[in-house]
Amino acid sequence: KELNTHLHYEYLRSYFAGATGSLKELLDDLKFVGEGAGTGESFLDDLLAKSEDVIRLQRLAKLFETQLCEYDWALKVYNRILSIQQVKSGSSTNTEVASTYRSMGSILREQNQLNGSMEMYLKALVIQRKLFGSEHLEVGITYKKMADVLYFQEELDDAMEMYEQSLSIHLQVFGSEHAEVALIYQSMGNVLRNQGKRQEPIEMFEKAIEIQLKTIGKEHSEVGWTYRNLGLVYYDGSNLNVAMDMFSKAAEIQLKALGPEHVSLSRTYRNIGLVYHCRGELEKALEIYNKALVIQLKILGPEHSLVANSYHNIANIYKDLGNEAAAMEMYKNANEIFAKTR
């Protein structure tokens, strides 16, 4: 992959071009890379080999991770940070090293490398428990991240146990009305829902919403996400009217908070489409599924699994409408993507 976009060029220029004697040379090299004349990865290797500025490297890693989604490059930067931290401290067990391990774990989770992610989180946890004891907030944060991985691995009982440990620490540190506590309740609700339970996840999501309304306000995107999750529980229980109310609240909040072209909003549109489909309101379902698809194609590109899901949902509608040709085309689109992504 070449580092040949204006965005990449500007980020590297901003975070590596310091007031040094080699500034002109560095900018010339950046321009060279920005024009696509060389490979970005080898250039990044050269910059990392020369840099000792941990704070600047951390900012660059975050940019690669959160804005550019260049996860391999972010890991490369974090590995450099780790080596600098270990050399400077003379130890592999300090709080900065633990923080770097945890950041690497989060990137690996984004890449769906769940075993590698858990390994990084465990390294962080060992250090944090040694330095801070078992009830420190940093330990509680790492417990939650480990629980998230266990949830994605479908180790639901272990995930719930880890969330409970995290919740206990967060309650001690923050009390019962804090946004981070609400996020843990929401995660526990997801586990309970996936365990096939009905009332328990509703209670968890309602606790989360109650806290969120007090702490972050009714128009925050996280509130929308919790309403969506609550709607899923009602949908699972075939309570379609309440599910639609929850999904509609979620979509209204997400539209205001995130704008009309956000992936989270497309997920909620999909949920609304499912309710319409179950009610037999096929034209409405088709319209909302297409809205979800337009967003996903624009934001995620044509070969993402969410795009495939949308094609499949649209195909089901066309099939029920008796339009077999359109249904077959949509199924074909979906299956081609699934073959590449599964």
Side-chain angles (χ1 to χ4, degrees), residues 7-42:
L7 211 59
H8 289 68
Y9 167 73
E10 285 298 322
Y11 282 142
L12 277 181
R13 184 182 64 77
S14 298
Y15 287 93
F16 274 116
T20 67
S22 61
L23 177 58
K24 184 179 184 304
E25 179 184 353
L26 197 56
L27 289 174
D28 287 344
D29 287 343
L30 284 163
K31 184 178 180 183
F32 175 75
V33 173
E35 292 171 348
T39 60
E41 192 163 357
S42 63

Side-chain angles (χ1 to χ4, degrees), residues 55-315:
I55 293 175
R56 180 171 287 176
L57 289 169
Q58 287 171 333
R59 285 157 53 191
L60 180 70
K62 278 295 178 187
L63 284 168
F64 279 142
E65 177 187 357
T66 61
Q67 296 190 35
L68 299 178
C69 297
E70 296 285 3
Y71 298 123
D72 288 338
W73 290 355
L75 282 174
K76 190 183 291 285
V77 178
Y78 277 124
N79 272 307
R80 174 60 177 155
I81 292 169
L82 192 62
S83 66
I84 295 169
Q85 289 171 330
Q86 290 173 335
V87 169
K88 285 189 174 180
S89 68
S91 170
S92 60
T93 57
N94 65 68
T95 183
E96 290 82 10
V97 169
S99 179
T100 301
Y101 279 136
R102 196 165 68 191
S103 295
M104 294 170 74
S106 295
I107 293 172
L108 290 166
R109 192 189 75 181
E110 287 294 327
Q111 293 180 307
N112 205 35
Q113 298 184 41
L114 299 182
N115 290 334
S117 176
M118 184 62 82
E119 181 182 348
M120 292 298 110
Y121 288 148
L122 281 169
K123 286 183 177 182
L125 182 66
V126 168
I127 296 170
Q128 290 163 342
R129 292 189 63 162
K130 181 177 180 180
L131 294 175
F132 306 131
S134 60
E135 296 185 359
H136 192 276
L137 177 59
E138 289 297 325
V139 174
I141 293 170
T142 303
Y143 277 145
K144 183 183 183 302
K145 290 182 177 293
M146 292 171 68
D148 290 341
V149 173
L150 290 166
Y151 173 74
F152 289 125
Q153 291 177 319
E154 299 183 356
E155 300 287 346
L156 298 181
D157 290 340
D158 291 339
M160 180 59 81
E161 182 179 346
M162 199 70 71
Y163 282 132
E164 287 171 347
Q165 292 185 66
S166 179
L167 177 64
S168 175
I169 294 170
H170 279 78
L171 286 171
Q172 289 181 48
V173 174
F174 294 125
S176 60
E177 295 187 352
H178 192 278
E180 293 298 323
V181 172
L183 288 178
I184 298 172
Y185 281 135
Q186 184 169 177
S187 297
M188 294 170 74
N190 287 329
V191 172
L192 291 164
R193 174 182 170 245
N194 279 274
Q195 288 177 325
K197 298 176 181 177
R198 293 290 177 264
Q199 189 57 40
E200 293 94 328
I202 289 173
E203 292 171 1
M204 287 294 170
F205 291 136
E206 287 180 343
K207 279 185 179 180
I209 289 173
E210 182 180 356
I211 296 168
Q212 289 169 333
L213 291 175
K214 291 178 181 178
T215 57
I216 58 179
K218 63 182 181 180
E219 295 184 351
H220 195 282
S221 61
E222 282 296 336
V223 177
W225 195 252
T226 310
Y227 276 127
R228 174 186 175 272
N229 286 334
L230 188 54
L232 289 171
V233 182
Y234 285 112
Y235 176 81
D236 292 342
S238 298
N239 194 337
L240 298 182
N241 290 336
V242 179
M244 180 62 88
D245 287 343
M246 296 298 106
F247 293 147
S248 297
K249 283 184 178 181
E252 181 181 356
I253 294 168
Q254 290 169 334
L255 189 60
K256 289 181 181 178
L258 304 173
E261 295 181 346
H262 197 280
V263 173
S264 293
L265 180 61
S266 77
R267 289 175 179 269
T268 304
Y269 282 154
R270 174 183 178 271
N271 298 137
I272 292 172
L274 290 171
V275 175
Y276 279 137
H277 196 174
C278 288
R279 286 175 171 178
E281 300 177 65
L282 301 182
E283 295 293 345
K284 289 182 179 180
L286 183 60
E287 180 182 356
I288 202 80
Y289 282 150
N290 275 311
K291 288 176 77 171
L293 178 62
V294 168
I295 296 170
Q296 291 162 354
L297 285 170
K298 184 168 185 177
I299 303 301
L300 302 173
E303 296 186 351
H304 194 278
S305 59
L306 285 180
V307 173
N309 287 333
S310 288
Y311 280 135
H312 197 272
N313 291 331
I314 291 169

